[in-house]
Amino acid sequence: MDLIIYVPRIEASMPILRNMLMMVVKRYKALSLPLPREFCRLAVLNPREAIELLMRFGNSFVRLWGWVPGFLRDVMVFEPSASIECYDSMDRLRRSIDFGVDLAGLIIRYRLSGRVDYDDWLRLFSREVATASLTLPDQPVVVVDDYVQFMEHVARSSGVVLLGPLVPTPIDLMVLISSGKLGIDYLAKVVDYVINYIGDYVVMGRDLTDAFIRLISDREYVNFVRSTGLPIIT
């Protein structure tokens, strides 16, 4: 891998990504995107249907990736010899939606009872880790929008570009705990942060960008992440 590009999964980073990708394609003649293969095929053949496909998974997906059909068609016109690969799948995306619903259920249960069953949280995230693994392609340039995946694969690349703060969300921390890469002694604190992040920042925020900015502006949270030893760049 010649270049790995990390882009936080927020709306504010997407215009930056799009603006640089054509230059990347011109130089490397290849690009891999963290999007379902089915969506990317449809984006070339029928952009309107591709957007409708994204809308089934919520407005946030459209806000994040609605620019891709136009970008792919630009590549076809200006760099027709370039190879564009999408390495995710619709099945994995559907499972992530189901995971989000189940996570919301745990948060609601806490809001109603004031109690947390940590075994339930670990079971949910362990199931997510087991079913949602994603293999990055062996391509010259790969775009990654997930902190955990980025940290797992960054050593494979000879070049790195960050298009936003490199800070794990509480969801990322739970994934790391469930996979045994972060100590279980962090569990109680991380669950509290997940509840606040989803319940207060994501649900009550204007969009994913607003939620993420509020999260990384929380000095207590950033200091907590630093205490785990995980790499962060704010």
Side-chain angles (χ1 to χ4, degrees), residues 35-218:
L35 291 167
R37 292 176 288 275
E38 303 89 335
F39 165 74
C40 291
R41 286 194 294 266
L42 191 58
V44 173
L45 298 173
N46 193 322
R48 180 176 296 179
E49 286 189 14
I51 296 300
E52 291 174 355
L53 182 63
L54 279 188
M55 290 180 66
R56 298 176 193 173
F57 300 100
N59 291 334
S60 62
F61 288 98
V62 179
R63 293 197 305 268
L64 289 172
W65 299 109
W67 55 272
V68 169
F71 167 73
L72 293 180
R73 295 177 77 85
D74 286 345
V75 171
M76 290 177 62
V77 172
F78 298 107
E79 293 293 331
S81 64
S83 172
I84 308 296
E85 177 181 0
C86 294
Y87 61 88
D88 208 338
S89 70
M90 292 302 295
D91 285 342
R92 204 182 80 92
L93 183 55
R94 292 187 185 98
R95 289 196 298 269
S96 72
I97 298 299
D98 293 339
F99 165 77
V101 172
D102 292 340
L103 177 58
L106 288 180
I107 294 173
I108 291 171
R109 188 187 308 173
Y110 166 77
R111 297 291 195 192
L112 293 176
S113 68
R115 295 190 298 272
V116 174
D117 187 326
Y118 294 108
D119 289 337
D120 285 348
W121 282 76
L122 285 173
R123 275 193 293 269
L124 174 61
F125 277 87
S126 295
R127 186 190 75 194
E128 174 70 1
V129 169
T131 62
S133 60
L134 188 62
T135 302
L136 266 61
D138 186 16
Q139 294 291 330
V141 182
V142 179
V143 177
V144 178
D145 66 347
D146 180 276
Y147 175 91
V148 176
Q149 291 168 6
F150 175 77
M151 295 310 305
E152 288 177 350
H153 295 279
V154 65
R156 290 173 46 195
S157 179
S158 55
V160 177
V161 173
L162 302 180
L163 299 183
L166 181 68
V167 182
T169 68
I171 303 295
D172 297 321
L173 299 181
M174 275 299 301
V175 168
L176 291 169
I177 291 173
S178 300
S179 60
K181 297 172 183 175
L182 188 62
I184 197 71
D185 49 318
Y186 292 107
L187 177 61
K189 192 68 173 177
V190 169
V191 168
D192 287 343
Y193 278 122
V194 171
I195 292 170
N196 290 334
Y197 175 61
I198 299 296
D200 296 334
Y201 294 174
V202 174
V203 173
M204 303 303 293
R206 293 188 302 273
D207 52 26
L208 297 175
T209 301
D210 181 57
F212 188 63
I213 289 174
R214 292 178 66 186
L215 178 71
I216 65 175
S217 298
D218 184 336

